[in-house]
Amino acid sequence: MPEQNIHGPRDFGDRLTYLVRRIDGALAHRLDQRLRDYGLTPAQLSALAQLDIEHPGTLTGAQLADRSGVTAQSMSAAIARLLERGLVTRTQSTVHGRRLDVSLTPSGADLLRTVQHETLDAEAAVDFGLDDGELEQLKQTLRRVARALGVFLPAEHTG
C-alpha cells in the first residue's frame, strides 16, 4: 500500500512558489498572445527592452540572457531572429576582441514602443481584483522579493 502524503493538496496550493508559478503562467500566456501579433517571443521582447535601457550602449548575449532570465542558448536564438529582422545589430567589441556587442536599431526601438504601448493597454484592462493601493503594495512586495533573489530590475539599474 502506498504511503499517504501527510500534506494534502491544500498545502501544495498554499505554497508561494506554486502560486507565483501559476500566476506567471497565466500572465505569460496573455503576453504571448499579444506578442504573436508582432512576431516576437518574450525573450526577444526582453532583449529589445534591455537594449533600450542601455541605448546607445550595448550588451552581450550573455548579459541579455542573464537580465532576461533565460538560457544563453535561448537568447542566442532570440538575437539571431532580431538580427534577421533588422531590430538589433551585433558588432565586435572594441574593448574585448572576442566579445560581440548587441545594440538596438531605430526600427527595434520603434517596434518596442509600439509593443510596450499595446501590452500596457492589455495589462490595464486586466482586473486583478485589487484596488489601487493593494496593487501598489503587491508591486512593492514583488520588487522586494525580486531584489532578495538577485533579479535584475530595470527601474533600479544604475548604469
Side-chain angles (χ1 to χ4, degrees), residues 71-93:
T71 66
Q73 293 82 2
S74 292
M75 186 51 68
S76 179
I79 292 169
R81 182 68 182 118
L82 294 171
L83 282 165
E84 288 172 8
R85 293 180 63 188
L87 302 173
V88 300
T89 59
R90 188 166 47 193
T91 56
Q92 192 161 2
S93 171

Side-chain angles (χ1 to χ4, degrees), residues 53 143 152-158:
I53 291 167
R143 283 187 207 103
F152 177 83
L153 295 175
E156 297 178 349
H157 178 62
T158 57

Side-chain angles (χ1 to χ4, degrees), residues 22-33 123 126 128:
R22 294 285 304 175
I23 292 167
D24 175 60
L27 293 174
H29 179 71
R30 289 173 188 248
L31 179 62
D32 287 347
Q33 289 177 320
E123 184 177 313
V126 175
F128 291 106

Side-chain angles (χ1 to χ4, degrees), residues 2-152:
E3 196 173 308
Q4 292 293 321
N5 185 345
I6 61 171
H7 304 288
R10 290 182 199 164
D11 174 61
F12 187 71
D14 285 339
R15 292 183 182 185
L16 179 62
T17 51
Y18 176 78
L19 291 170
V20 169
R21 187 65 157 151
R22 294 285 304 175
I23 292 167
D24 175 60
L27 293 174
H29 179 71
R30 289 173 188 248
L31 179 62
D32 287 347
Q33 289 177 320
R34 296 282 181 180
L35 293 180
R36 205 170 298 137
D37 294 338
Y38 299 97
L40 291 173
T41 65
Q44 291 168 347
L45 176 63
S46 182
L48 293 175
Q50 296 302 327
L51 290 168
D52 186 55
I53 291 167
E54 295 299 319
H55 188 73
T58 63
L59 292 169
T60 66
Q63 289 169 319
L64 286 168
D66 183 55
R67 288 184 179 191
S68 301
V70 299
T71 66
Q73 293 82 2
S74 292
M75 186 51 68
S76 179
I79 292 169
R81 182 68 182 118
L82 294 171
L83 282 165
E84 288 172 8
R85 293 180 63 188
L87 302 173
V88 300
T89 59
R90 188 166 47 193
T91 56
Q92 192 161 2
S93 171
T94 56
V95 179
H96 305 296
R98 296 171 74 179
R99 187 173 95 176
L100 293 174
D101 292 330
V102 182
S103 59
L104 192 61
T105 66
S107 24
D110 289 345
L111 179 60
L112 177 62
R113 296 288 170 266
T114 300
V115 172
Q116 283 177 325
H117 180 72
E118 171 71 22
T119 55
L120 279 175
D121 286 350
E123 184 177 313
V126 175
D127 179 8
F128 291 106
L130 304 172
D131 65 33
D132 290 345
E134 290 171 322
L135 191 55
E136 186 55 38
Q137 181 61 45
L138 176 59
K139 288 178 186 179
Q140 289 176 12
T141 301
L142 291 174
R143 283 187 207 103
R144 256 191 6 247
V145 170
R147 280 192 299 273
L149 294 172
V151 173
F152 177 83

